Amino acid sequence: MVETPTTRALQPGADIPDARGRTGLHRTGLDLSGNPGVEVHEVELIASPWHVLRRTTLNVQTRDGSWSTQQRETYDRGNGATILLYHPSTRKVLLTRQFRYPAYVNGHPTGDLIETAAGLLDDDDPETAVAREALEETGYAVDALEHVFDAFMSPGSVTERLHFYAAVYDPAARQGDWGGLAEEGEEIELLELDIDDAIARIGDDIIDAKTIMLLQWAKLSGPFAAKR
């Protein structure tokens, strides 16, 4: 017998609103049709306390034309944006350092990671969101944003698409408080590093993927690339 809301307990996020007022989260993916070799059959909502964890059953066509049934768990935390703030004449980049529990619990000695400013889009477009995060985390208002690229950061299980940006900052123009949002438990330290120093520290104490990607872009083809 196929379960329906009348034959099982009503589930927050599916049949009734969850803590964020959402319903229908168990239907995401059922209407996908862009890949004829993938058929989504069932989506199980595992949890939705804030972000959303799902288990999806799908049929996938193999190279020989046969079909295999697979299950995939996906973690949906929404999309995000990150920005590299840089000062071209001094060859400085502005990074942050903050505690990240997931890194700490997975072997980082302190959990304090050096990163570019970043955050989730929430209900904003990427440009608005990344300017908001830059101001909240560093105290610098940014304009003339340069869109660098977009990337899926952990496509095996996390749905997030991250939008990458860069912008010039004026060291004399910091405005507002910085250091993150107290209500979100953020305590953020600013680090102003020479670009070559930052590049040299990749793999040492700069081990955050988005930060590495933006630093390498800045050095290889961005504002600090060798002149040809």
Side-chain angles (χ1 to χ4, degrees):
M1 182 179 66
V2 176
E3 283 192 340
T4 69
T6 60
T7 60
R8 60 171 166 80
L10 297 180
Q11 184 179 18
D15 317 302
I16 58 176
D18 63 8
R20 299 179 66 181
R22 302 169 297 188
T23 58
L25 298 178
H26 61 309
R27 294 194 293 269
T28 299
L30 290 172
D31 59 348
L32 290 174
S33 59
N35 188 338
V38 176
E39 298 175 347
V40 178
H41 285 285
E42 181 182 5
V43 181
E44 176 188 357
L45 179 63
I46 299 175
S48 61
W50 189 255
H51 305 315
V52 183
L53 180 62
R54 300 179 177 92
R55 181 184 294 113
T56 299
T57 303
L58 59 158
N59 284 346
V60 179
Q61 191 172 31
T62 62
R63 292 179 180 177
D64 65 6
S66 62
W67 291 80
S68 66
T69 299
Q70 303 177 6
Q71 284 193 328
R72 293 289 183 268
E73 289 188 1
T74 57
Y75 184 58
D76 182 356
R77 61 191 300 270
N79 294 325
T82 185
I83 186 167
L84 178 67
L85 300 181
Y86 67 93
H87 192 253
S89 62
T90 62
R91 296 179 59 82
K92 300 289 187 180
V93 293
L94 190 66
L95 304 177
T96 68
R97 179 157 46 205
Q98 60 181 307
F99 176 71
R100 297 298 199 183
Y101 178 72
Y104 185 46
V105 78
N106 196 31
H108 190 281
T110 65
D112 295 326
L113 292 190
I114 297 174
E115 305 178 38
T116 49
L120 295 177
L121 303 186
D122 295 325
D123 295 324
D124 290 327
D125 61 82
E127 291 80 5
T128 300
V130 82
R132 178 195 70 222
E133 293 297 329
L135 183 60
E136 287 180 1
E137 295 191 3
T138 72
Y140 288 96
V142 295
D143 52 18
L145 295 170
E146 178 181 359
H147 178 243
V148 179
F149 48 72
D150 297 340
F152 290 96
M153 300 301 292
S154 187
S157 58
V158 181
T159 63
E160 180 183 22
R161 182 202 303 264
L162 193 61
H163 304 270
F164 288 73
Y165 291 88
V168 174
Y169 76 99
D170 179 356
R174 198 181 80 193
Q175 54 182 281
D177 295 329
W178 62 271
L181 299 178
E183 60 267 27
E184 295 183 5
E186 295 178 332
E187 291 187 4
I188 297 175
E189 175 188 359
L190 289 186
L191 300 176
E192 193 175 40
L193 303 178
D194 178 86
I195 180 60
D196 293 320
D197 179 29
I199 291 291
R201 292 165 68 168
I202 290 174
D204 182 11
D205 60 348
I206 295 181
I207 53 175
D208 169 68
K210 65 182 181 295
T211 306
I212 294 171
M213 293 165 72
L214 277 173
L215 290 174
Q216 290 181 333
W217 162 82
K219 187 67 174 176
L220 293 173
S221 59
F224 304 114
K227 303 299 183 184
R228 296 182 179 177

